């Protein structure tokens, strides 16, 4: 059985999952408010906040809080975060533009259209980073107090 001190070590497993959950619930609420109905059909890529940004940012912030910014793990986390954030803003938006063009070309065909909303705006990414940072800070403080 895990002791209270051992629970703190599970923070590396709990934090990205919690960031994903908080970002996903927030995105569902935001989309539902915008659509003025429950927005189950809008779940997926794109929207505010970015789930991917929240997940990777939660680990960047957690490692910075627990290990410090001079720890090698922080360098790995920040590198991964940059890749994910750049991908969310540029590459995935280009994929969405391609999907839109393909859908126009095949609009008369009886083929299910491709999803066009793929990437994130900078605001959506920033919102994800903020969610990730807040989740990491909250869990770090919560579990640090449990271990004390």
């Amino acid at each position: 059985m895990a002791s209270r001190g051992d629970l703190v070590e599970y923070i590396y497993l709990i934090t990205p999952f919690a960031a994903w959950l908080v970002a996903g619930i927030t995105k569902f609420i935001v989309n539902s408010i915008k659509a003025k109905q429950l927005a189950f059909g809008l779940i997926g890529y794109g929207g505010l906040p970015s789930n991917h940004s929240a997940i990777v940012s939660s680990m960047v912030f957690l490692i910075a809080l627990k290990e410090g910014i001079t720890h090698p793990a922080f360098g790995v986390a920040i590198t991964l975060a940059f890749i994910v954030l750049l991908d969310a803003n540029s590459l995935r938006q280009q994929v969405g533009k391609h999907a839109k063009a393909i859908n126009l070309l095949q609009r008369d065909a009886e083929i299910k259209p491709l999803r066009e909303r793929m990437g994130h705006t900078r605001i959506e990414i920033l919102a994800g980073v903020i969610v990730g940072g807040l989740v990491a800070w909250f869990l770090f403080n919560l579990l640090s107090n449990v271990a004390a």
Side-chain angles (χ1 to χ4, degrees):
M1 184 168 170
S3 70
R4 292 181 125 196
D6 291 338
L7 184 60
V8 174
E9 294 310 312
Y10 288 106
I11 195 169
Y12 290 108
L13 179 63
I14 296 166
T15 300
F17 178 76
W20 169 79
L21 191 62
V22 170
I25 290 169
T26 304
K27 186 185 298 192
F28 178 76
I29 292 168
V30 168
N31 284 337
S32 294
I33 290 169
K34 282 183 177 178
K36 296 181 180 161
Q37 64 181 3
L38 295 179
F40 291 107
L42 297 175
I43 295 172
Y45 299 107
L48 183 135
S50 162
N51 288 61
H52 292 86
S53 300
I55 292 166
V56 297
S57 296
S58 72
M59 290 307 292
V60 169
F61 281 98
L62 179 62
I63 291 167
L65 289 167
K66 267 187 80 57
E67 312 297 340
I69 62 171
T70 60
H71 195 276
F74 179 78
V76 172
I78 200 104
T79 301
L80 175 63
F82 273 128
I83 292 167
V84 170
L85 299 178
L86 290 171
D87 176 66
N89 183 249
S90 59
L91 178 65
R92 286 183 39 218
Q93 281 190 353
Q94 293 304 315
V95 170
K97 288 177 184 177
H98 288 140
K100 191 174 193 172
I102 291 168
N103 287 340
L104 283 173
L105 292 172
Q106 68 178 20
R107 68 176 168 244
D108 295 331
E110 292 190 22
I111 300 171
K112 183 179 176 186
L114 299 171
R115 175 176 241 149
E116 295 177 8
R117 181 70 167 104
M118 294 294 291
H120 289 284
T121 65
R122 289 184 176 122
I123 296 295
E124 293 167 346
I125 292 168
L126 178 61
V129 170
I130 291 168
V131 167
L134 289 173
V135 167
W137 178 84
F138 176 79
L139 289 175
F140 174 76
N141 285 302
L142 176 72
L143 294 180
S144 292
N145 291 333
V146 167

